[in-house]
């Protein structure tokens, strides 16, 4: 199991109890990770669930298992090719730094204030 699979494992573990309650199915996480037929059956059942969380977990896992490893990222749109008549793009000036930046002592005082005032 790689680091990228930790989110998948997290969602699978969250699905174990709802799958058992609703469908009486014992979800085998190890088999899910290695058997694509079994994974497809589990995801199909999750899609048909009355529990909205279980449906969301199934949809998330389906995206992660069969699609990109990072499901919430979207592919970048291809940039149009520059034409010979197009004018070169001018870079926007960098924003000026904020004039009212707090000093280090002021920031420290703000942090410490929450520990010296209020309820404990």
């Amino acid at each position: 199991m790689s680091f990228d699979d930790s989110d998948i494992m997290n969602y699978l573990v969250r699905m174990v109890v709802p799958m058992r309650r609703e469908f009486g199915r014992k979800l085998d996480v190890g088999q899910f990770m290695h058997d694509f037929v079994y994974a497809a059956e589990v995801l199909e059942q999750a899609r048909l669930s009355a529990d909205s969380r279980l449906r969301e977990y199934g949809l998330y896992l389906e995206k992660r298992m069969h699609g990109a490893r990072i499901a919430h990222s979207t592919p970048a749109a291809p940039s149009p090719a520059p034409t010979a008549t197009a004018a070169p793009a001018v870079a926007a000036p960098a924003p000026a730094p904020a004039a009212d930046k707090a000093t280090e002592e002021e920031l420290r005082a703000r942090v410490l204030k929450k520990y010296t005032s209020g309820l404990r």
Side-chain angles (χ1 to χ4, degrees):
M1 179 175 69
S2 69
F3 178 72
D4 295 331
D5 293 337
S6 64
D7 285 339
I8 294 172
M9 293 294 287
N10 186 13
Y11 277 83
L12 279 172
V13 169
R14 290 181 193 179
M15 288 177 64
V16 170
V17 173
M19 289 293 287
R20 190 174 353 149
R21 282 184 186 154
E22 188 169 348
F23 300 109
R25 179 180 200 132
K26 181 178 181 264
L27 178 60
D28 185 355
V29 175
Q31 186 177 359
F32 185 95
M33 294 298 290
H34 299 290
D35 186 359
F36 292 115
V37 175
Y38 178 77
E41 290 174 5
V42 170
L43 292 175
E44 180 65 29
Q45 261 189 335
R47 237 183 280 126
L48 300 174
S49 174
D51 185 5
S52 64
R53 286 185 307 150
L54 190 55
R55 286 192 310 267
E56 289 173 12
Y57 294 159
L59 180 64
Y60 177 82
L61 286 174
E62 189 172 23
K63 286 180 183 176
R64 293 292 294 252
M65 297 295 288
H66 301 297
R69 279 306 205 192
I70 300 175
H72 60 274
S73 69
T74 57
S79 60
T83 59
T85 60
V90 177
D100 59 329
K101 283 192 174 180
T103 64
E104 187 175 335
E105 293 82 24
E106 290 171 344
L107 292 175
R108 182 174 171 80
R110 284 185 206 168
V111 170
L112 294 176
K113 183 172 177 78
K114 70 179 180 182
Y115 294 108
T116 58
S117 64
L119 298 176
R120 289 191 174 197

